[in-house]
Amino acid sequence: MINLRNTNVYKISISEDCCPSIETLDFMFNHHLTEIETLPTSVKFLKVYSCKVLKNIKGIRDLANLQKLKIFACPELEVLPSFERLSCLKDFKMEDCGKVEKIQGLEHCRSLSTLCIYWKEFHLDKETENVFQRFQNGVNLVKSDEKLFKGLFFIAIKDVDLADVEDLKDEFPIKLLQIRKRSHENFLTKMYGGMVELAAMPSFTRKEYYQESLSEIALTMEEDLDHTYQNGRSFLRDLKLVTAQIATKDWTPVDLKCVAMKVNILHKNLESAVREGQLSMSGASKVLVNFDTQEEIHDVPIELGDLLIEVQDSGLELAPTEESISNDKVLSDLRSRLGTIFKRKRVNGDQWHSVFQSFLGDLIERRCDRVQKWLCSNTS
């Protein structure tokens, strides 16, 4: 097999002596190629795709063993040689070659079973066109929002026969390339940076669907995409937000909505964070965290002179939580905590109260520092 893609050659001529047994030739995206001259007669499969200035393919006429011929998106191609010697040709497809006016010798292709010639400059089936148009309308509405445009456009086409997989993977990218060339504002470029993958899926009743196709999709996602989200929680939050915006036709940037949502959560939990060093959310982790990364705002031990006191800040009440609980009760609990670590009988009363006052001051300072870090990590 010879695969010539994205070259700068102007003319191609491959002699019989050079490649006497080559069976497959693939010329794709050779935008300077104007002519294909001599080709080895051993060739059975010839593909010519998206050669924009190609005008002549003389080398076809002597390919007596050619069985498959595909010519796509060659708008300057004007002449095809006579097919009278292509007696083995079984499959001939040509699309988007609008200047070709005549194909001679097809009556001599006795083995020809598939003939597809499309004279349209570009076409997709109506359903696909409608889906793509909705994508285009969407990108025009949210085109200023960079947060959304970090994905891979993955197309899974179902119920593809094994015999058609290769053709589909060759032809469909050509159609998508036409979309990308229409303008820089097309949805493939704006939303996905031109990153497109195609999967030809067999029927779900066949084992290949589960053994190969799904594994191929998973592998593509893992290899081709950067991990924008560090955890499922933040991804789910943004997904719900985008879905809600679409449902309400709210096209304001997602980033602004995320900030507003974070501010709302911070506002609801600020009192609890100051009072208890944790969130007031029920049914979830109450630790102060960065909402995007789920990284905890860690405690630091309290230092009283040479003594390190390990008192966990999260869940430690520094103010009454209910009207029925007095400040005296909070102070009594804190005094008991200190008493279990720093025995009161080691010092006199005045010294003890001085130590207790320093302890309270350090607890308050640590709480303020943790709450401030929590606020900054979720608003920066």
Side-chain angles (χ1 to χ4, degrees):
M1 177 178 180
I2 293 180
N3 188 333
L4 293 177
R5 301 192 178 197
N6 297 300
T7 69
N8 293 320
V9 298
Y10 291 87
K11 290 186 179 181
I12 291 177
S13 181
I14 304 175
S15 67
E16 196 79 39
D17 297 334
C18 177
C19 301
S21 60
I22 189 70
E23 294 187 353
T24 301
L25 287 175
D26 184 350
F27 304 119
M28 200 167 187
F29 303 116
N30 297 288
H31 299 308
H32 301 283
L33 182 63
T34 60
E35 191 171 345
I36 298 176
E37 297 182 331
T38 307
L39 296 175
T41 57
S42 60
V43 172
K44 295 182 179 180
F45 186 12
L46 176 62
K47 295 188 291 185
V48 183
Y49 288 175
S50 193
C51 297
K52 296 301 183 183
V53 296
L54 181 65
K55 293 187 176 181
N56 201 335
I57 313 178
K58 295 179 182 178
I60 292 177
R61 61 188 169 203
D62 296 320
L63 300 183
N65 296 307
L66 187 65
Q67 297 178 10
K68 252 182 162 181
L69 174 61
K70 295 182 180 181
I71 307 173
F72 278 63
C74 299
E76 296 300 318
L77 182 63
E78 299 175 349
V79 178
L80 286 176
S82 174
F83 283 27
E84 61 182 331
R85 298 182 186 177
L86 308 186
S87 58
C88 294
L89 186 63
K90 298 178 180 178
D91 187 344
F92 174 43
K93 295 180 181 178
M94 184 168 70
E95 184 174 340
D96 297 345
C97 303
K99 290 189 176 182
V100 177
E101 297 181 355
K102 185 184 295 186
I103 302 175
Q104 297 180 341
L106 279 176
E107 66 274 12
H108 296 284
C109 301
R110 295 184 297 273
S111 302
L112 190 63
S113 59
T114 302
L115 175 63
C116 298
I117 300 176
Y118 299 101
W119 299 104
K120 292 183 179 180
E121 182 179 349
F122 174 75
H123 76 90
L124 287 169
D125 63 84
K126 186 175 181 180
E127 182 179 355
T128 305
E129 283 277 15
N130 291 337
V131 171
F132 283 9
Q133 186 59 51
R134 290 199 293 272
F135 286 152
Q136 189 63 45
N137 294 339
V139 77
N140 291 335
L141 291 169
V142 295
K143 61 184 178 180
S144 61
D145 198 337
E146 298 296 331
K147 185 176 179 64
L148 293 177
F149 307 138
K150 295 181 180 180
L152 168 72
F153 189 69
F154 196 101
I155 306 173
I157 301 177
K158 65 178 183 177
D159 298 334
V160 180
D161 190 84
L162 285 175
D164 297 327
V165 170
E166 185 179 350
D167 291 346
L168 182 65
K169 289 187 175 181
D170 284 338
E171 295 170 13
F172 208 85
I174 299 292
K175 302 178 187 294
L176 296 180
L177 182 64
Q178 298 294 327
I179 295 177
R180 290 175 57 187
K181 289 185 175 181
R182 287 177 177 176
S183 76
H184 294 297
E185 293 296 318
N186 68 83
F187 76 92
L188 289 175
T189 301
K190 286 291 293 180
M191 294 183 69
Y192 305 100
M195 294 179 62
V196 180
E197 289 288 345
L198 177 69
M201 308 283 288
S203 170
F204 72 89
T205 58
R206 291 184 6 216
K207 64 180 181 180
E208 292 88 351
Y209 180 91
Y210 304 95
Q211 293 178 347
E212 299 175 11
S213 298
L214 295 180
S215 298
E216 179 185 348
I217 292 175
L219 185 62
T220 300
M221 297 300 181
E222 184 176 342
E223 291 181 347
D224 293 355
L225 289 179
D226 295 329
H227 296 288
T228 303
Y229 293 92
Q230 298 185 22
N231 55 75
R233 186 190 298 271
S234 56
F235 170 75
L236 180 60
R237 182 201 64 209
D238 282 0
L239 180 61
K240 288 181 177 179
L241 179 59
V242 171
T243 305
Q245 285 190 250
I246 293 174
T248 59
K249 297 183 179 181
D250 180 359
W251 309 120
T252 55
V254 172
D255 278 344
L256 294 180
K257 289 293 183 180
C258 283
V259 170
M261 186 168 62
K262 285 182 181 180
V263 169
N264 185 45
I265 296 174
L266 292 172
H267 180 263
K268 287 182 177 179
N269 289 276
L270 182 58
E271 182 180 349
S272 175
V274 172
R275 188 178 59 221
E276 303 174 28
Q278 62 184 14
L279 306 180
S280 61
M281 301 167 64
S282 60
S285 174
K286 293 187 175 184
V287 180
L288 299 182
V289 296
N290 179 296
F291 297 142
D292 291 327
T293 65
Q294 293 299 301
E295 182 180 354
E296 293 186 15
I297 310 300
H298 294 293
D299 288 348
V300 293
I302 300 296
E303 296 185 20
L304 290 178
D306 297 333
L307 185 64
L308 284 179
I309 303 179
E310 294 286 350
V311 178
Q312 185 176 353
D313 185 63
S314 183
L316 181 65
E317 293 184 11
L318 297 182
T321 57
E322 301 176 6
E323 293 182 0
S324 59
I325 300 178
S326 65
N327 286 327
D328 291 340
K329 177 65 169 60
V330 173
L331 289 173
S332 176
D333 290 341
L334 294 175
R335 192 179 296 113
S336 298
R337 282 178 176 268
L338 179 61
T340 59
I341 303 169
F342 190 86
K343 300 301 181 181
R344 187 166 185 173
K345 61 184 180 180
R346 293 169 51 186
V347 295
N348 60 39
D350 292 338
Q351 289 175 321
W352 164 257
H353 288 297
S354 178
V355 170
F356 183 54
Q357 188 174 3
S358 298
F359 178 62
L360 291 179
D362 289 343
L363 289 177
I364 294 171
E365 185 177 349
R366 183 180 65 172
R367 175 66 55 79
C368 291
D369 181 64
R370 288 189 70 237
V371 171
Q372 187 173 8
K373 287 180 179 178
W374 173 62
L375 294 171
C376 290
S377 70
N378 287 293
T379 54
S380 59

